């Protein structure tokens, strides 16, 4: 069985770190254990379910029934194993009529983070770089700076999540991952801090990938394992915690690499094994709109849960709040 840190624990952990209260602090929960997170970005993915699908670029939040069903299935499996899934939601989803399925997931304890309203590029410095939707319909953002549009996009998601599900966002994940996270964008980090986020998940370390459709050779697999070192949580100079995404993601494997499922399972198994061996963090990133298409039998999630179970207490399924809380204490 596994347990998880609550939002409250996190706030306590972060405030303790913030005031430098070192003496008398209890060991963080799960001390000495690997923290294995399973995260799902609730958005539609270009090239899925059909390779020619590109219209999702303009309506990332318009989740289809298959993606919702898959997200619910993943959550059910992880919960049965004693853990929770960390979900990230694109706010436009809340324009749909029925969000009861997501309310149920929140009630079951799965935290829901903010992934912006339109899946915007938080690094954009020009309006046309913010999102496909605004390139086609520039009047939606006319007269506003990228900063204003991006901050508003994050705020709207919080408002929609509160209004339709009744919960506050559990953290923020940037659409797209960046090899250096937000290291060279203190301005973006400041927006997030000002919006009240103690941590961000924005870094996806660089790693080699195969040519499309080619089975990964040992060289690529070991490079993916080596990239785990760069996917460990840390604190930026301004105090914001980074919880990176751990390679390889479903999009990296199935869109960029056009891999077969078995190749992905091998890469994920090896990466999780590294994290357990080092008692480190692993932040598995998938999209129900992509993984649900290539792995309808939930083999990847079952594999991760199985590896954690076999680790004999050396690992727990954790959410990103727990990973961030531990990084805040270091
Ligand atoms: Zn995304």
């Amino acid at each position: 069985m596994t347990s998880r840190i609550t939002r409250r624990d996190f706030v306590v952990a972060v405030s303790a770190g913030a005031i430098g209260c070192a003496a008398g602090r209890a060991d963080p929960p799960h001390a000495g254990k690997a923290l294995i997170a399973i995260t799902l970005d609730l958005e539609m993915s270009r090239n899925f379910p059909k390779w020619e699908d590109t219209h999702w670029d303009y309506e990332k939040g318009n989740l289809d029934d298959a993606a919702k069903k898959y997200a619910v299935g993943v959550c059910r499996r992880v919960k049965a194993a004693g853990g929770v899934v960390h979900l990230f939601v694109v706010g436009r989803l809340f324009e749909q009529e029925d969000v009861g399925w997501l309310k149920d997931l929140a009630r079951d304890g799965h935290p829901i983070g903010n992934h912006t309203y339109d899946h915007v590029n938080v690094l954009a410095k020009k309006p046309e770089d913010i999102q496909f939707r605004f390139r086609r319909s520039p009047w939606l953002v006319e007269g506003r700076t990228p900063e204003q549009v991006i901050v508003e996009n994050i705020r709207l998601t919080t408002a929609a999540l509160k209004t339709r599900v009744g919960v506050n966002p559990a953290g923020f994940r940037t659409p797209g991952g960046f090899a250096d996270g937000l290291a060279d964008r203190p301005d973006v980090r400041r927006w997030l801090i000002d919006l009240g986020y103690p941590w961000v998940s924005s870094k996806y370390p660089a790693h080699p990938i195969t040519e499309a459709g080619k089975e990964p050779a040992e060289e690529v697999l070991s490079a993916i394992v080596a990239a785990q070192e760069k996917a460990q949580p840390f604190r930026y100079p301004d105090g914001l915690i980074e919880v990176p995404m751990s390679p390889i993601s479903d999009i990296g494997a199935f869109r960029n690499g056009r891999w077969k499922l078995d190749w992905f399972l091998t890469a994920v198994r090896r990466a999780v094994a590294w994290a357990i061996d080092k008692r480190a963090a692993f932040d598995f990133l998938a999209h129900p709109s992509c993984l649900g298409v290539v792995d309808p039998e939930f083999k990847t999630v079952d594999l991760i849960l199985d590896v954690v179970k076999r680790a004999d207490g050396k690992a727990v399924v954790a959410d990103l709040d727990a990973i961030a809380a531990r990084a805040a204490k270091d």
Side-chain angles (χ1 to χ4, degrees), residues 71-102:
V72 169
V74 171
C75 288
R76 198 171 291 149
R77 289 172 119 79
V78 175
K79 173 119 198 199
V84 292
V85 177
H86 205 122
L87 305 166
F88 287 93
V89 70
V90 168
R92 214 170 155 202
L93 169 69
F94 297 112
E95 292 182 20
Q96 289 189 351
E97 187 182 356
D98 178 18
V99 294
W101 62 278
L102 191 57

Side-chain angles (χ1 to χ4, degrees), residues 35-285:
L35 301 179
I36 311 297
I38 296 173
T39 75
L40 296 179
D41 288 2
L42 301 178
E43 66 191 56
M44 294 308 292
S45 304
R46 169 197 271 250
N47 302 131
F48 294 91
K50 294 194 298 295
W51 195 254
E52 56 275 22
D53 288 338
T54 54
H55 64 285
W56 302 122
D57 287 349
Y58 302 88
E59 42 174 329
K60 295 286 289 177
N62 197 10
L63 229 57
D64 66 7
D65 286 341
K68 290 179 222 174
K69 231 175 118 188
Y70 196 76
V72 169
V74 171
C75 288
R76 198 171 291 149
R77 289 172 119 79
V78 175
K79 173 119 198 199
V84 292
V85 177
H86 205 122
L87 305 166
F88 287 93
V89 70
V90 168
R92 214 170 155 202
L93 169 69
F94 297 112
E95 292 182 20
Q96 289 189 351
E97 187 182 356
D98 178 18
V99 294
W101 62 278
L102 191 57
K103 269 189 181 166
D104 290 344
L105 296 184
R107 207 171 299 128
D108 279 349
H110 305 285
I112 307 172
N114 188 324
H115 199 42
T116 78
Y117 200 82
D118 292 288
H119 206 259
V120 298
N121 170 17
V122 302
L123 305 186
K125 289 186 166 164
K126 289 181 289 188
E128 58 269 33
D129 294 337
I130 299 172
Q131 220 277 334
F132 295 97
R133 183 185 184 200
F134 303 138
R135 203 179 296 163
R136 184 190 276 168
S137 314
W139 56 87
L140 290 172
V141 296
E142 218 160 47
R144 289 189 289 154
T145 64
E147 172 180 344
Q148 288 170 325
V149 174
I150 293 160
V151 169
E152 177 75 352
N153 229 266
I154 299 169
R155 276 213 188 97
L156 283 175
T157 304
T158 301
L161 181 61
K162 273 190 189 167
T163 307
R164 303 268 340 254
V165 178
V167 297
N168 281 308
F172 180 78
R173 171 170 280 163
T174 58
F178 315 116
D180 294 318
L182 297 176
D184 52 358
R185 291 300 301 269
D187 54 336
V188 177
R189 301 200 309 258
R190 175 48 53 195
W191 308 339
L192 293 173
I193 291 168
D194 288 349
L195 287 164
Y197 290 96
W199 57 266
V200 63
S201 179
S202 76
K203 179 175 178 177
Y204 181 87
H207 63 82
I209 181 75
T210 58
E211 274 171 52
K214 253 188 131 181
E215 182 168 1
E218 176 54 33
E219 197 185 316
V220 170
L221 290 172
S222 45
I224 288 170
V225 171
Q228 303 311 317
E229 196 103 51
K230 294 188 199 112
Q232 295 310 305
F234 63 90
R235 190 197 290 266
Y236 292 107
D238 47 22
L240 187 68
I241 304 282
E242 172 68 56
V243 184
M245 299 158 247
S246 305
I248 184 174
S249 74
D250 58 345
I251 290 293
F254 300 110
R255 178 197 289 153
N256 306 342
R258 301 197 74 164
W259 280 11
K260 292 195 170 130
L261 178 59
D262 279 346
W263 307 344
F264 183 61
L265 294 173
T266 299
V268 170
R269 181 189 290 116
R270 288 185 53 170
V272 175
W274 179 93
I276 292 175
D277 188 44
K278 304 285 182 208
R279 308 293 192 275
F282 186 81
D283 171 10
F284 174 71
L285 161 63

